[in-house]
Amino acid sequence: MSRFTLPRDIYYGKGALENLKNLEGKKAVVVVGGGSMKKFGFLDTITDYLGQAGMKVRLIENVEPDPSVETVKRGAEIMREFGPDWIVSVGGGSPIDAAKAMWAFYEHPETTFEDLCKPFNFPKLRAKARFAAIPSTSGTATEVTAFSVITDYSKGIKYPLADFEITPDVAIVDPVLAETMPKTLTAHTGMDALTHAIEAYVSTLSGPFTDPLAIKAIQMVMTYLPSSYKGNKNSREQMHYAQCLAGMAFSNALLGIVHSMAHKTGAAFDTGHIPHGCANAIYLPYVIKFNAKTAARRYADIARAIGISGSDDNDLTEKLCRLISAYNAELGIPPTLAAFGIEEAEFKAKLSVIAANAVGDACTGSNPRAITPSEMEKLLCCCYYGSEVDF
Ligand code: FE
């Protein structure tokens, strides 16, 4: 038995933001990040539309990248004091993720962060407020997913929270907000979206409801990401939709070990912080080669769907890997961790701990091929040195 959950409404297209005028309620909090939404005038537009909807508005500003437990609790406190019936979150992944966790503490002050960290263990929400999410980057798709990532800085650990209770009620996917993304962010978030779709398609939890979303997202990313990177506005718009489709797929089919590795290596090295999408992009071809032992047929489906022809499943999978590596090169993403700049001594010193952590990551369970800590060490070495995956 499976479950497939999405927001009740997804508004998309240029000007979709205007749908905020039609939300019904008395009070809204707007949760936002560090300032780009304010700088480009979107925050004013949002508060204006909510005002036109007849709502009183209060802002929760300055949610940091990789939001902390403290930020979440501070936001929930403001919500309890103000009593909103709508939580409107806008920005890259971070403010939306933070707002999802604030929502849980707002509705259930007695809950603990430890409770929320247990997968699919959230209390019932929506007794007090509903949730709208407006993404300004084209990658995380948190506007349609059941996930939120919160960092406990006292422990130095990122916690992925997961529950369909935090799947937003309304997503507003307006490409105008993503037009201002810098080039590098466009590359990294775009490859994050591609990884979401590919991992969802080969996931052990994939199925007839998620497959078409994943395949369409892959086709769109392969078509539009290079020109979006170069600044083409139509391509930026298509990427904003593609990442959302990928999100609809992976929120329900979950992910795999590319994400396990990215989660556990992103902040692990003093010699370089690896941005999430960049880490995914580097690992993706190596993981496909590792997974091909059990999932070549699925990767071959993907290859055929994007117009690759080949003699058999393994040939198609091999060509898919080569194409992804070529995209990385075109997008200025290094082919290995060594080329990224992680120093060898630090990599070797931390390898066994990182490998064990990656195997224990929540995303490992739905990967199509099981992996042991020693295999994970070997795989990470391939990603570091660029060596062949032959095990
Ligand atoms: Fe991701």
Side-chain angles (χ1 to χ4, degrees):
M1 200 177 74
S2 301
R3 177 174 175 179
F4 183 77
T5 300
L6 293 177
R8 167 75 171 73
D9 290 302
I10 299 173
Y11 298 103
Y12 65 97
K14 284 184 186 167
L17 204 51
E18 212 174 327
N19 287 288
L20 286 172
K21 284 184 193 169
N22 305 322
L23 294 187
E24 286 177 16
K26 293 191 176 72
K27 291 179 181 179
V29 286
V30 178
V31 183
V32 69
S36 72
M37 287 297 98
K38 199 176 197 168
K39 191 170 85 192
F40 294 113
F42 295 119
L43 188 55
D44 283 344
T45 309
I46 288 165
T47 46
D48 205 54
Y49 286 151
L50 291 169
Q52 289 182 49
M55 285 197 255
K56 275 194 193 138
V57 179
R58 175 125 183 222
L59 301 181
I60 298 176
E61 292 183 271
N62 300 315
V63 173
E64 71 276 27
D66 301 327
S68 65
V69 180
E70 290 70 34
T71 297
V72 167
K73 295 212 166 144
R74 177 175 60 86
E77 194 61 47
I78 295 170
M79 289 180 190
R80 278 200 290 275
E81 197 185 290
F82 181 64
D85 40 28
W86 274 100
I87 297 166
V88 177
S89 55
V90 57
S94 297
I96 300 174
D97 279 6
K100 285 175 170 176
M102 288 172 191
W103 186 19
F105 284 110
Y106 167 47
E107 299 224 3
H108 297 275
E110 75 291 351
T111 200
T112 65
F113 187 63
E114 288 66 35
D115 286 339
L116 300 185
C117 288
K118 292 179 201 134
F120 299 95
N121 186 50
F122 268 61
K124 272 252 168 276
L125 301 178
R126 295 171 175 78
K128 292 182 181 167
R130 279 181 292 165
F131 194 98
I134 310 166
S136 67
T137 60
S138 306
T140 70
T142 184
E143 73 276 9
V144 291
T145 72
F147 309 118
S148 156
V149 181
I150 303 298
T151 303
D152 183 337
Y153 286 90
S154 70
K155 296 192 181 119
I157 297 177
K158 279 189 178 184
Y159 289 97
L161 312 181
D163 197 296
F164 289 118
E165 279 300 314
I166 53 171
T167 301
D169 298 285
V170 173
I172 299 182
V173 186
D174 188 330
V176 178
L177 277 79
E179 273 175 14
T180 55
M181 272 198 303
K183 230 178 151 182
T184 308
L185 189 62
T186 304
H188 292 172
T189 52
M191 289 306 287
D192 186 28
L194 180 68
T195 308
H196 292 155
I198 292 179
E199 294 213 283
Y201 190 77
V202 301
S203 160
T204 56
L205 296 171
S206 66
F209 288 72
T210 54
D211 283 354
L213 292 162
I215 288 290
K216 182 68 182 171
I218 293 163
Q219 290 169 330
M220 289 175 76
V221 173
M222 297 313 270
T223 305
Y224 295 110
L225 182 54
S227 45
S228 172
Y229 176 66
K230 291 186 188 112
N232 180 294
K233 280 205 178 143
N234 175 54
S235 301
R236 285 269 168 122
E237 177 176 358
Q238 298 305 317
M239 279 302 300
H240 210 42
Y241 307 149
Q243 64 87 31
C244 186
L245 296 177
M248 291 157 74
F250 90 80
S251 185
N252 293 284
L254 308 187
L255 294 165
I257 60 171
V258 180
H259 270 78
S260 305
M261 293 156 70
H263 289 154
K264 298 305 193 266
T265 53
F269 301 110
D270 299 328
T271 52
H273 175 269
I274 317 163
H276 175 70
C278 180
N280 282 331
I282 295 172
Y283 304 150
L284 184 57
Y286 300 96
V287 169
I288 292 176
K289 282 182 194 148
F290 174 78
N291 284 345
K293 265 203 178 156
T294 55
R297 191 178 58 80
R298 298 290 281 174
Y299 291 119
D301 287 347
I302 294 172
R304 277 188 291 264
I306 54 174
I308 297 173
S309 47
S311 52
D312 58 21
D313 288 352
N314 288 325
D315 183 44
L316 284 159
T317 303
E318 179 65 38
K319 285 176 176 161
L320 175 66
C321 288
R322 258 184 267 150
L323 187 63
I324 292 167
S325 299
Y327 269 61
N328 281 346
E330 195 177 341
L331 298 169
I333 292 169
T336 62
L337 285 178
F340 178 85
I342 304 299
E343 281 176 15
E344 191 178 20
E346 190 184 21
F347 174 76
K348 281 183 169 167
K350 293 181 172 169
L351 178 60
S352 67
V353 172
I354 290 172
N357 288 342
V359 170
D361 188 90
C363 291
T364 303
S366 44
N367 193 67
R369 183 180 167 193
I371 186 162
T372 64
S374 74
E375 285 168 334
M376 180 59 87
E377 279 190 38
K378 279 203 232 170
L379 186 55
L380 283 162
C381 282
C382 293
C383 297
Y384 187 88
Y385 297 102
S387 42
E388 232 9 81
V389 180
D390 55 3
F391 51 95

